[in-house]
Amino acid sequence: MSITLGKRSLKKGRVSLYIDICYKGKRKKEYLGIIMQRPDTPEIRKQNKRKMLLAQQIKAKKELEFLRIKYEQCEYMIDEIPKLIKHKVIK
């Protein structure tokens, strides 16, 4: 499992940000709709830094969601073990 932040170059020096999710050999890209402008002025650089921080926060949130789902499934499986033993599915 890996979740990475990716960049795609656009026209006029702009960059679009996306999250690349790889899980069990499958890959999915989620475009964030965040477009960083060409860094010509200090104001634009400052805006781009804020946009990058926002994208990193979104990435961290996705990672937490994925881990929560993964470990909830593990808890469910652990809770099911006594039932499986009772029904002689597991010896």
Side-chain angles (χ1 to χ4, degrees), residues 2-74:
S2 71
I3 298 177
T4 57
L5 188 60
K7 298 176 183 179
R8 180 171 184 251
S9 298
L10 302 174
K11 293 180 181 177
K12 299 180 183 176
R14 298 180 307 154
V15 175
S16 177
L17 300 175
Y18 64 90
I19 293 177
D20 189 20
I21 303 170
C22 296
Y23 181 66
K24 292 186 178 180
K26 295 188 180 184
R27 189 174 217 166
K28 180 181 175 186
K29 285 186 181 180
E30 290 185 15
Y31 283 89
L32 302 176
I34 298 174
I35 298 176
M36 298 191 333
Q37 301 299 321
R38 186 174 180 184
D40 292 333
T41 65
E43 289 178 18
I44 294 176
R45 284 188 194 100
K46 194 173 184 179
Q47 289 175 357
N48 286 346
K49 283 184 182 181
R50 281 193 225 125
K51 290 178 182 180
M52 183 59 79
L53 284 173
L54 176 62
Q56 289 171 347
Q57 289 173 347
I58 293 170
K59 175 188 170 247
K61 186 177 177 182
K62 288 281 183 188
E63 287 174 336
L64 289 173
E65 286 177 11
F66 183 83
L67 290 172
R68 181 184 57 82
I69 291 169
K70 181 179 175 182
Y71 286 108
E72 279 182 1
Q73 289 175 352
C74 288

